[in-house]
Each structure stands twice: as C-alpha cells, then as structure tokens.
C-alpha cells in the first residue's frame, strides 16, 4: 500500500489570541515580561519536582486579576505548545493545547525505538518489563503537559503571586 | 441546500491522554458552548475514574471496598458493569484488576497498596444493589483506563448530539467515535510522519490503536496485535 509522506507534520488548534479569548472571553491581556532568576528556578524545581527548561516566561496579566500563560513541552516525537489560564487566586481555570509540531531528528529517535526489538525472536518473547518503551505518544504528551502545568503552578507561587 | 460548515478542533489533556474534539458548525457561540460541554462531560469521567488521582471515586474504591461496600455514582457503576460483562465475555482475558501487574512493570505508578496475590481477578469484585461495590479479598486494585476512555468518548458524543451538532469526532488517544461522516487518516505505526491509509468513517465507534496489546495473566506476557 503506497504511503503519502506528510513532511514536517504539524497541527494548530488555536493561536495565542484565540486561546486567550477561549479561556477568558471578552477580557484584555497585558503581556508581562518575566525572566526567572537562578534562585527562583531552583525554588520552583524543589517545590514541584519538575525541571525548569526555560527561564523566560510567556505570561499575560488578564483584566480582573487572572493569569494567562503559554508553555512548551516535548511529547514523544513533537513539541507541544499549550496555554494555561489561572484564576486570580492561582487555581487552574482551563488548559488548551495550541499546537504541536514534529521535532527535527525524528528518524534518529524512531530508529532507537525499533532497536529494542532487534534480536528478539519467537523463542524469546517480549517480556512485560520497563525495557519495552510501549507508552503511546498521546499518553506521554498528556503526562508532559500535566507536568508542565504542575511546574507553572509552582512558578505562579514563586514568581507571580 | 446546507450552508457551508466551519470545522472547530480543540485538544486537552484528559484521561491520561490527549483528547481531541472536532465538530462542524457554522455558528461560533454554538460550537464553543458545545465543545465546552463535551470536554466538561469527559472531565467528570476523568475526576471519577482516574487511577492516579487519590481523590477520585475509583481511588476511594481501591482503598476501601474490602473494608466495607463503597457507594459509587451512577456512571462509575455503569463502567464497572461494562467491565464485568467484558470480563465474562472474554473468559477473564480482559480484567481491570490487572493494576498491580502494570504497577510492577512500571506502566502505572505505585499506589502504596499491599502487594497482591496473582490469583486475584475481577471475580473478586462484587457489584451490589444501590450502586455499591465490594471487594471479596484484600489486594484487589482496579484500573478502569481501558473502558473509561471509550465510555467518556460516548458521553461526549451524546453531549454534542444533544447540542444539535450532527458532525463530530471525539478522539481520546486512539479511542475515537464519530457522529456524521468523517474522513480519518491513520498514521503509519512505525513512521508517524507518513499517512498509512485514509478511511471514510460514518457514525461508528472505533477503538483505533497503532498497536493493541492484551496482557495474558497466566504467563505475564503481552500479545501484540496490529
């Protein structure tokens, strides 16, 4: 069966502006330039146990006191951009995925995924253990996004409140 | 003649996967409201049946149902009933008490429960009147992930249909269902940048997975079907 190539696979659900209006309809947004200090970074990491990969925050203050943040995480094979709306008291209001796009060097990673099966024969069936990285892309993406939200909640406590 | 329809697509992390909802509608406020309600119905399932959340109904059942029968909500009880039906129909091959085995293998986080005996099965789960659940033995640990996703997708489609949306696709990480007619592209299992096949799907529940696997409890081996 012939396969059609889909080069540079990417998918956009919402732009930043659309996500702002989706989470806080009718509000106005003030971009807030915040770069975390090393001390703040360490504080956030020890607070929530998730690594901070970038000290530059994408934050908007929302009219009425709420917060709108944009962040990026790595899924199984793609970068995922998502938006987080926090209420004025720092509680999660809504999460929206903005887009995802395939990472460069996908094929290298794919080859290493297949390597785990090399040498396995019918007489040595696959064992149910951590050697087999059987986690689906969507499961991993979801886990990394929710870890990102955990990190952003700690970031709110340390740097925004 | 039907007026041209806009497509609205949104995705959120729920049920331990990415849930994507796509609908056809030519009215923005109707579309947005319908999508919001659909995600809300899925969030309810997530809150009630999350294995990872210690505050979910499922977690409470796993902690307490050996000590005394636990009253659960209607939807959780429905999912448990479906689970029992699948358990019986599959001669025990489908068994949501598989959680401890998955925990040992690293697919699920450890929950602090006592290590389980390998002879525990869904036969040790009693579904009583008035939506009550009881475990017959200690060490029973339920994971409803397999069924809860499909159930949540059904709920979301029902919400969308009630909102008057007649073209919809709800995809919970491979468990997908459509309302109306949709063209679904399936990626090549080993080359996800490549289109494998395009299917025209009409109002049909499709559990579509790149790799489907069943755990054979007697041997501890996974059968891989693709």
């Amino acid at each position: 069966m012939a396969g059609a190539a889909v080069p540079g696979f990417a998918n956009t659900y919402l732009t930043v502006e659309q996500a702002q209006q989706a989470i806080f309809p009718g509000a106005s947004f003030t971009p807030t330039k915040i770069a975390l200090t090393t001390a703040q970074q360490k504080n956030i990491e020890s607070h929530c146990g998730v690594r901070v990969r970038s000290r530059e925050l994408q934050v908007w203050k929302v009219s009425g006191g709420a917060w709108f943040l944009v962040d990026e995480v790595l899924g199984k094979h793609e970068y995922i951009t998502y938006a987080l709306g926090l209420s004025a008291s720092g509680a999660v209001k809504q999460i929206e995925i903005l887009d995802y796009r395939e990472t460069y060097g996908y094929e290298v990673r794919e080859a290493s995924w297949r390597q785990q099966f090399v040498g396995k024969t019918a007489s040595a069936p696959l064992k149910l253990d951590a050697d087999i990285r059987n986690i689906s892309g969507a499961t991993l993406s979801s886990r990394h996004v929710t870890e990102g939200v955990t990190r952003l909640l700690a970031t709110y406590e340390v740097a925004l409140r | 003649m039907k007026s041209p329809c806009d497509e609205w697509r949104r995705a959120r992390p729920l049920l331990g996967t990415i849930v994507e909802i796509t609908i056809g509608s030519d009215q923005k406020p109707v579309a947005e409201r319908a999508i919001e309600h659909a995600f809300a119905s899925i969030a309810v399932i997530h809150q009630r049946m999350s294995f990872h959340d210690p505050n979910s109904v499922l977690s409470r059942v796993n902690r307490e149902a050996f000590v005394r029968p636990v009253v659960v909500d209607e939807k959780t009880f429905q999912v448990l009933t479906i689970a029992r039906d699948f358990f019986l129909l599959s001669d025990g091959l489908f068994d949501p008490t598989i959680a401890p085995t998955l925990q040992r293998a690293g697919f699920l986080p450890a929950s602090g429960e006592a290590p389980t005996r390998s002879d525990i099965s869904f036969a040790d789960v009693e579904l009583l009147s008035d939506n009550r659940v009881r475990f017959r033995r200690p060490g029973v640990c339920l994971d409803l992930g397999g069924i809860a996703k499909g159930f949540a997708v059904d709920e979301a489609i029902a919400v969308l249909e009630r909102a008057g949306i007649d073209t919809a696709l709800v995809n919970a990480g491979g468990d997908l269902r459509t309302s109306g007619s949709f063209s679904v592209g399936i990626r090549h299992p080993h080359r996800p940048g490549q289109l494998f096949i395009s299917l025209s799907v009409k109002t049909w529940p499709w559990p579509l997975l790149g790799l489907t696997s069943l755990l054979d409890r007697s041997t501890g081996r996974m059968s891989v079907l693709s």
Side-chain angles (χ1 to χ4, degrees):
Chain A
M1 196 173 304
V6 184
F9 186 72
N11 200 357
T12 300
Y13 295 99
L14 295 168
T15 64
V16 169
E17 290 71 31
Q18 287 171 333
Q20 286 173 336
Q21 288 308 316
I23 301 178
F24 299 104
S28 59
F29 299 82
T30 311
T32 309
K33 196 164 168 61
I34 299 183
L36 298 171
T37 64
T38 316
Q40 284 175 321
Q41 177 187 346
K42 287 199 162 69
N43 200 351
I44 290 165
E45 287 175 347
S46 64
H47 206 97
C48 68
V50 183
R51 268 193 60 197
V52 173
R53 292 185 189 275
S54 167
R55 290 208 228 139
E56 300 290 330
L57 301 183
Q58 295 178 72
V59 183
W60 288 256
K61 197 117 210 227
V62 187
S63 54
W67 297 91
F68 178 86
L69 299 94
V70 171
D71 189 34
E72 185 180 89
V73 293
L74 192 58
K76 196 171 191 183
H77 305 296
E78 61 287 311
Y79 290 112
I80 302 156
T81 315
Y82 67 98
L84 172 66
L86 297 180
S87 70
S89 56
V92 174
K93 185 173 195 286
Q94 198 163 314
I95 303 165
E96 292 281 0
I97 310 256
L98 300 187
D99 61 56
Y100 59 86
R101 56 208 180 283
E102 219 169 64
T103 57
Y104 186 69
Y106 165 76
E107 247 127 57
V108 172
R109 205 185 296 215
E110 169 65 3
S112 79
W113 184 86
R114 274 182 280 162
Q115 192 64 22
Q116 68 189 316
F117 298 111
V118 169
K120 299 275 189 252
T121 63
S123 57
L126 301 177
K127 285 202 313 274
L128 184 62
D129 60 24
D131 281 344
I132 305 301
R133 302 196 308 276
N134 204 11
I135 300 172
S136 82
T139 304
L140 208 60
S141 298
S142 160
R143 192 180 299 175
H144 290 174
V145 169
T146 48
E147 276 173 6
V149 170
T150 302
R151 172 172 38 77
L152 290 180
L153 285 169
T155 304
Y156 165 84
E157 291 294 324
V158 167
L160 300 180
R161 211 149 71 108
Chain B
M1 190 162 100
K2 236 184 135 179
S3 55
C5 221
D6 284 328
E7 185 182 276
W8 307 84
R9 286 175 69 220
R10 300 272 268 270
R12 297 185 194 173
L14 283 164
L15 306 171
T17 189
I18 302 291
V19 178
E20 186 186 72
I21 296 182
T22 310
I23 67 170
S25 171
D26 53 9
Q27 294 174 62
K28 183 177 175 186
V30 172
E32 304 235 306
R33 203 162 41 236
I35 288 175
E36 202 54 54
H37 286 156
F39 273 124
S41 72
I42 295 176
V44 166
I45 305 301
H46 175 97
Q47 280 151 25
R48 302 227 177 123
M49 294 175 230
S50 165
F51 184 84
H52 302 87
D53 181 355
N55 299 315
S56 70
V57 174
L58 179 65
S59 292
R60 188 161 50 88
V61 168
N62 279 333
R63 279 194 304 270
E64 299 175 12
F66 174 65
V67 178
R68 69 184 76 79
V70 176
V71 179
V72 301
D73 60 283
E74 192 89 39
K75 294 200 195 296
T76 303
F77 198 77
Q78 258 181 281
V79 172
L80 286 167
T81 306
I82 295 168
R84 185 196 51 198
D85 292 346
F86 281 171
F87 170 71
L88 295 171
L89 284 168
S90 69
D91 280 329
L93 190 61
F94 177 87
D95 189 340
T97 62
I98 215 102
T101 311
L102 293 175
Q103 283 170 323
R104 281 198 292 275
F107 287 108
L108 283 177
S111 57
E113 301 293 329
T116 192
R117 300 131 69 165
S118 60
D119 56 344
I120 281 183
S121 78
F122 202 82
D124 295 308
V125 177
E126 273 191 299
L127 301 183
L128 308 169
S129 60
D130 300 321
N131 294 346
R132 289 171 304 145
V133 187
R134 199 186 133 242
F135 293 162
R136 289 203 175 94
R137 296 197 279 186
V140 179
C141 189
L142 284 171
D143 172 27
L144 295 176
I147 304 187
K149 272 191 226 169
F151 188 84
V153 167
D154 287 349
E155 293 269 292
I157 287 285
V159 164
L160 292 168
E161 285 175 351
R162 277 201 297 274
I165 306 292
D166 55 17
T167 308
L169 188 154
V170 178
N171 181 356
D175 270 284
L176 79 88
R177 182 169 175 164
T178 61
S179 191
S181 213
F182 257 95
S183 185
V184 175
I186 301 175
R187 301 208 281 194
H188 192 290
H190 297 306
R191 288 186 286 280
Q194 200 168 308
L195 184 67
F196 186 63
I197 185 173
S198 183
L199 301 175
S200 181
V201 178
K202 259 189 176 155
T203 313
W204 194 260
W206 276 79
L208 280 170
L209 302 164
L211 247 100
T212 305
S213 46
L214 287 171
L215 173 65
D216 185 331
R217 290 168 58 92
S218 57
T219 61
R221 292 197 185 126
M222 287 183 96
S223 325
V224 175
L225 324 160
S226 56

